Amino acid sequence: MNGTMDHVTREHPDSFLIESAAILASSLEFEHTLAALAQLAVRALGDFCIIDVVDHDGDIRRLQVAHSDPDRAALTAELLRFPIDARFPHPSLQVLRTGEPVLVRSVTDAVIGTMAQDHEHRNIMEALEPRSLLAVPLFAHTQIVGVMLLGSSSNTYDADDVVVAEKLALLAGLEVDNARHYRAAQQALEARDRVLGVVAHDLRNPLNTIIMAAGLIRDFPLSPEQLAARVEMILTAAQRMNRLIQDLLDVARLEAGRIVLERTDNDAVSIASEAVELSAARAAAKSLRLEIESAPDLPLIPVDRDRILRVFTNIIDNAIRFTPDGGRIVIRVAALGDEVCFSVADTGPGISADDAVHLFEPFWQLHGTSEGAGLGLTIARGIIEAHGGEISVDSTPGHGATFCFTVPKASGRSMPRS
């Protein structure tokens, strides 16, 4: 095992850092950069390395581990299952709070005991036999983007180790930031291509309908009934195009945080009832029972009524689409602490866990479906979150699906119901 700084690194730290800079800069792929950093660390600065990264939303993710001994690589990889938990003292957590390196010269049983999240976690740490620990921040300019934790099983870290580790972390932090920006740029290009693909595909079909119907009106003598039918086709196609354009604009507004809510105090049950009325004809066409169940004395909710209705419409339309003829869809309204909870439960085929995690992503659709652009649930989530609520789905394949969303209630007011 390497222990702390090897002889070459200690004697020639600048050469090591120059080589490290070249290796870290050799790729703009985020994962490759982190893997290269971990390997550099265990090659020259310790026996094992753990890298935790701070997401843009502030969450801490454990993304990379490495060990100088290949026989212990699998054991070290088990630590990926134990990301930093604020309930347990940890050198990396202290680094994230202070921005300063943390040196644990001697790792005692007591130190391991305070860091361990459970018995299994403690066994893994003890098996790695850490004698000394060193955690340093990864900075991108003045912002902490992660932490590199080094462990030695044979030697004790000292001030010289801290200096070299900080310099390596500084180089790595800048490259991690570059890799992040590169990934964001790639994702933006992919999102643009998806939008262009959706626009090209979903606008072409109704546009072709309009062109065909307009051509028939122009080129052939039509009876009043035939003319009315063609005009209706044009209107329906145009409305479909307009809805897609509106969906794309709404997604852009939601992602930019520019959605404007016109809140007024509303009766929760009346909103649910209006949503049912708007969907009643489509449900009836499939012989579906569309029902409401509500609790008494529900509080008023300060919401943008039209936008909440749109959330309902998006969810109920999906339930109607996937529920077999003769099925049942139940809308429930109930108080839940300081919120009002709405749910839409259907008797459809249900949704697998693998699919459920993607339901609220833009442009994502269930396998085998092609209706719409896959933006309805994305917009629903954005509207509910803008109201300060949450939206979720609970489903078991073969047993239907239940979508739930909450909105805060208006304080101290309610609508009495018999």
Side-chain angles (χ1 to χ4, degrees):
M1 298 183 187
N2 293 344
T4 50
M5 274 197 293
D6 61 23
H7 177 75
V8 174
T9 305
R10 186 176 291 277
E11 294 296 322
H12 304 284
D14 291 339
S15 297
F16 166 71
L17 292 171
I18 291 171
E19 180 188 1
S20 298
I23 293 173
L24 290 171
S26 65
S27 173
L28 284 173
E29 295 295 334
F30 187 63
E31 289 78 7
H32 185 278
T33 300
L34 293 179
L37 171 60
Q39 290 302 319
L40 285 166
V42 299
R43 194 191 82 185
L45 297 175
D47 291 294
F48 62 88
C49 174
I50 302 169
I51 299 175
D52 297 295
V53 172
V54 182
D55 285 340
H56 291 297
D57 56 8
D59 292 335
I60 304 167
R61 291 194 297 152
R62 177 153 293 173
L63 293 185
Q64 192 64 239
V65 298
H67 201 288
S68 60
D69 183 355
D71 292 336
R72 292 199 170 191
L75 176 65
T76 310
E78 292 295 311
L79 292 175
L80 290 170
R81 298 190 292 109
F82 297 94
I84 291 177
D85 188 325
R87 296 174 299 172
F88 302 92
H90 195 284
S92 295
L93 191 61
Q94 185 176 341
V95 170
L96 289 171
R97 288 172 177 163
T98 65
E100 298 293 331
V102 173
L103 175 60
V104 182
R105 294 183 181 276
S106 178
V107 179
T108 63
D109 288 342
V111 170
I112 292 178
T114 59
M115 293 172 58
Q117 298 175 19
D118 58 27
H119 183 68
E120 182 184 9
H121 190 199
R122 177 166 187 151
N123 287 341
I124 295 170
M125 289 195 293
E126 288 177 343
L128 290 173
E129 301 177 328
R131 178 174 176 177
S132 187
L133 296 174
L134 170 58
V136 292
L138 302 176
F139 278 105
H141 308 293
T142 59
Q143 182 180 6
I144 295 180
V145 295
V147 181
M148 178 175 66
L149 175 70
L150 302 169
S152 174
S153 301
S154 54
N155 296 302
T156 300
Y157 285 116
D158 59 23
D160 290 335
D161 297 309
V162 174
V163 171
V164 176
E166 281 190 295
K167 289 181 178 179
L168 176 62
L170 180 61
L171 292 172
L174 294 173
E175 294 303 331
V176 167
D177 192 46
N178 289 338
R180 272 182 166 175
H181 286 303
Y182 176 75
R183 171 185 278 183
Q186 292 298 106
Q187 290 173 339
L189 289 173
E190 291 172 3
R192 182 204 64 185
D193 291 342
R194 285 199 303 270
V195 171
L196 291 175
V198 167
V199 171
H201 178 272
D202 284 55
L203 287 182
R204 182 182 292 115
N205 289 337
L207 182 59
N208 286 340
T209 299
I210 292 173
I211 293 171
M212 179 188 70
L216 290 172
I217 293 173
R218 182 193 63 189
D219 298 333
F220 297 95
L222 302 174
S223 67
E225 293 77 11
Q226 291 173 323
L227 179 60
R230 300 302 182 272
V231 170
E232 188 62 32
M233 287 175 61
I234 291 173
L235 288 173
T236 300
Q239 288 167 356
R240 181 178 169 188
M241 294 173 69
N242 185 62
R243 178 164 182 174
L244 173 60
I245 293 169
Q246 188 60 49
D247 283 350
L248 291 169
L249 290 173
D250 281 346
V251 168
R253 292 189 190 102
L254 289 166
E255 290 181 346
R258 294 200 301 266
I259 185 173
V260 177
L261 300 178
E262 297 181 2
R263 296 177 186 257
T264 57
D265 286 348
N266 282 267
D267 172 22
V269 176
S270 73
I271 293 180
S273 298
E274 185 174 349
V276 168
E277 291 175 7
L278 292 171
S279 303
R282 189 174 176 192
K286 293 185 64 177
S287 301
L288 300 177
R289 287 179 293 160
L290 198 54
E291 304 169 2
I292 294 180
E293 297 178 2
S294 62
D297 300 326
L298 289 168
L300 295 171
I301 50 175
V303 297
D304 186 321
R305 187 181 185 93
D306 289 340
R307 294 192 182 276
I308 296 298
L309 281 172
R310 186 168 186 195
V311 172
F312 259 125
T313 299
N314 288 345
I315 295 174
I316 295 175
D317 280 355
N318 280 340
I320 292 172
R321 189 196 322 176
F322 291 106
T323 302
D325 291 4
R328 181 172 179 247
I329 299 172
V330 181
I331 291 86
R332 295 183 175 92
V333 191
L336 184 66
D338 293 331
E339 299 176 313
V340 169
C341 178
F342 298 90
S343 67
V344 178
D346 63 54
T347 56
I351 305 165
S352 71
D354 289 341
D355 286 332
V357 298
H358 298 291
L359 280 178
F360 299 98
E361 296 176 4
F363 306 110
W364 191 88
Q365 295 178 323
L366 284 170
H367 302 298
T369 64
S370 59
E371 183 178 341
L375 295 173
L377 291 178
T378 303
I379 293 170
R381 180 185 63 182
I383 291 172
I384 294 304
E385 291 179 350
H387 278 84
E390 297 180 349
I391 187 169
S392 62
V393 61
D394 181 29
S395 181
T396 301
H399 298 279
T402 300
F403 285 82
C404 300
F405 63 91
T406 61
V407 292
K409 68 180 183 181
S411 58
R413 287 166 288 176
S414 63
M415 286 292 292
R417 293 197 166 271
S418 57

